[in-house]
Amino acid sequence: MNRTFRRLGRRALIGTAFTGVAALALAGCSGGAADPDTAAEEGGELTVWAWDPTVETIADAYQEEHPDVTIDVVNVGTGNDQYTALQNAITAGSGAPDLAQVEYYALPQFAIGESLADLTEFGAADLADAFAPGPWNAVNYGGTGVWGLPLDSGPMALFYNQAVFDEHGIEVPTTWDEYLEAARALHEADPDLYITNDTGDAGFATSMIWQAGGQPFQVDGTDVSIDLADEGSARFAEYWQQLVEEDLVAPISSWSDEWYQGLGNGTIATLTIGAWMPGNFETGVPDAAGDWRVAPMPQWEEGGTATAENGGSAMSVLESSESKALAYDFLEFAANGDGVQLRIDGGGFPATVADLESEEFLAKEFEYFGGQTVNEVLSESSANVVEGWEYLPFQVYANSVFNDSVGKAYVGDTTIAEGLAEWQQTLVKYGADQGFTVE
């Protein structure tokens, strides 16, 4: 999930927000395709639902170039709060915005329900090479259309407290085996020190499975297969179970006050997380400036380079919009035009290849991270994201119930592998109840 600026809610998306495949279809349609350039010249009004504050900055810039366009940016909530409101508006057939910011894991829910406009009619498919493979694959969900354009991305890296590592003579781990040894050494040196924290996080777990080569979710239209015991899932479960059983993981939930305190005082020594994290360190852990650094994500095999995405969001045009062409023109400005730099300036991590490879972007020195050129590490991670990952068309619900099963492993009631099996059973039943064919 996208935490570029703050933690997102995790309340379950249930009830009227997701009432079956048939209910996902959006009533109403626009008056047909038009030329985006012409639509921008003619002007009009757009409503955008987004929680990211840079979207408003981008909207202001677009309106300066197009004085006959009025854009109303509305924050109806983050994460599930927005998705519930959006699904309710879709189901009601009125009140939906022209565009909405949607995290990659949530996008399939709205794409499969035909609630989003297929942007290929505006030439969006021609932009495939403009975006990093991970984000582009997410918006090209199902391979049958383009259901949005990437706003940002979350290729993973290892954020580590160099001051703590230096104090205890710990080398930066390059493999997960080395990471385990570092965890043991830190905790043995000081029982208050932990290599990281975790109390059960669906986004982190699925990203780790992704990097391990797992493909537990396969989707073909409304046919869904779920295998949370595949090779990548089993590898993650067995490995992370060692950390939990040896009490090497701080029992602290991410984004809590205690979590920020742990990052600040060094008792949480690393985070393996998405590329959007630097801004959160700068604003949330200011007293630790200079202590932290960024390294490549540890590998399952020595010499490997595989990474995964963790978070990030797209912006999509709603199928119900009566101003699709104008909406697309603004979207392209935001995602692949002048708006990209505005997002970068506001702390976002780009999904556009040109920016990921630009000398200015790569050479930026981060004072917080001791002057390190952090973007070099993060950009390389973006290029090494494992291909083939898919989210469920009900991933929002799936993530919301993760702790009901897998979360129990963190308090000793079960193992992570057993929790994944229980999670799978829950998801198979839920998918079938919603009208999917699940195996």
Side-chain angles (χ1 to χ4, degrees):
M1 77 183 184
N2 181 351
R3 299 188 182 91
T4 305
F5 296 98
R6 56 168 295 178
R7 184 191 183 199
L8 303 183
R10 285 181 173 274
R11 289 190 294 275
L13 186 66
I14 56 177
T16 59
F18 194 82
T19 55
V21 177
L24 290 175
L26 175 67
C29 59
S30 71
D35 178 65
D37 290 336
T38 300
E41 291 177 6
E42 293 177 350
E45 298 181 359
L46 296 173
T47 298
V48 181
W49 283 7
W51 61 83
D52 185 334
T54 65
V55 173
E56 190 161 355
T57 302
I58 294 168
D60 290 342
Y62 183 87
Q63 289 171 103
E64 286 184 13
E65 291 189 14
H66 305 87
D68 292 327
V69 176
T70 300
I71 302 176
D72 184 20
V73 180
V74 182
N75 183 349
V76 298
T78 55
N80 291 350
D81 289 340
Q82 174 175 292
Y83 304 141
T84 299
L86 187 60
Q87 192 63 67
N88 287 343
I90 290 168
T91 302
S94 64
D98 296 286
L99 303 103
Q101 184 178 4
V102 182
E103 293 160 278
Y104 296 127
Y105 81 92
L107 189 143
Q109 171 178 317
F110 298 99
I112 199 170
E114 301 179 0
S115 302
L116 307 180
D118 180 1
L119 303 179
T120 55
E121 64 177 313
F122 301 115
D126 297 336
L127 300 178
D129 292 339
F131 296 99
W136 181 255
N137 181 67
V139 299
N140 191 35
Y141 176 76
T144 59
V146 180
W147 310 108
L149 293 181
L151 287 183
D152 53 20
S153 60
M156 298 180 80
L158 179 70
F159 292 75
Y160 68 97
N161 192 314
Q162 186 179 50
V164 172
F165 274 34
D166 289 348
E167 179 182 352
H168 296 283
I170 304 295
E171 296 292 328
V172 179
T174 61
T175 66
W176 288 114
D177 286 341
E178 292 175 357
Y179 187 87
L180 177 59
E181 292 305 315
R184 289 168 173 162
L186 282 172
H187 202 56
E188 183 178 352
D190 182 346
D192 290 331
L193 288 180
Y194 294 91
I195 192 73
T196 193
N197 71 289
D198 193 12
T199 57
D201 183 307
F204 173 75
T206 51
S207 291
M208 290 286 286
I209 291 169
W210 182 347
Q211 190 218 13
Q215 295 185 2
F217 310 131
Q218 297 291 310
V219 184
D220 182 8
T222 58
D223 294 332
V224 178
S225 65
I226 303 175
D227 182 7
L228 283 159
D230 72 356
E231 185 176 354
S233 302
R235 193 172 203 177
F236 161 71
E238 180 181 2
Y239 176 79
W240 210 250
Q241 187 66 38
Q242 288 180 276
L243 290 164
V244 173
E245 286 184 352
E246 296 182 32
D247 295 323
L248 302 177
V249 177
I252 296 172
S253 297
S254 296
W255 313 100
S256 65
D257 290 343
E258 191 177 3
W259 181 73
Y260 281 111
Q261 292 167 6
L263 297 177
N265 62 28
T267 54
I268 298 174
T270 77
L271 291 178
T272 309
I273 203 164
W276 36 260
M277 189 63 198
N280 287 287
F281 269 110
E282 292 171 359
T283 59
V285 198
D287 293 342
D291 292 345
W292 287 81
R293 299 290 186 274
V294 184
M297 189 177 186
Q299 295 296 306
W300 295 104
E301 305 291 346
E302 187 173 354
T305 59
T307 61
E309 294 276 343
N310 178 242
S313 61
M315 183 170 285
S316 299
V317 177
L318 273 293
E319 179 62 28
S320 60
S321 173
E322 297 182 357
S323 303
K324 287 194 186 75
L326 178 59
Y328 180 78
D329 194 74
F330 169 69
L331 174 54
E332 191 168 359
F333 176 89
N336 193 43
D338 292 346
V340 177
Q341 188 60 50
L342 294 174
R343 283 189 53 75
I344 294 173
D345 292 343
F349 189 81
T352 40
V353 174
D355 293 285
L356 289 167
E357 295 179 350
S358 75
E359 293 185 9
E360 180 181 0
F361 180 75
L362 295 173
K364 178 183 176 181
E365 296 181 356
F366 286 71
E367 182 179 353
Y368 185 95
F369 296 95
Q372 183 183 2
T373 51
V374 169
N375 287 337
E376 291 182 347
V377 177
L378 303 179
S379 180
E380 183 178 1
S381 177
S382 177
N384 291 323
V385 171
V386 175
E387 297 182 0
W389 179 264
E390 289 187 275
Y391 287 113
L392 291 170
F394 44 90
Q395 194 72 45
V396 175
Y397 170 81
N399 286 9
S400 75
V401 297
F402 179 84
N403 276 359
D404 296 341
S405 51
V406 187
K408 292 187 291 188
Y410 295 85
V411 293
D413 291 344
T414 186
T415 66
I416 293 174
E418 291 168 341
L420 288 174
E422 183 180 344
W423 193 35
Q424 177 172 323
Q425 292 176 350
T426 299
L427 299 182
V428 168
K429 181 180 185 303
Y430 180 83
D433 288 346
Q434 301 306 310
F436 294 94
T437 301
V438 188
E439 61 179 45

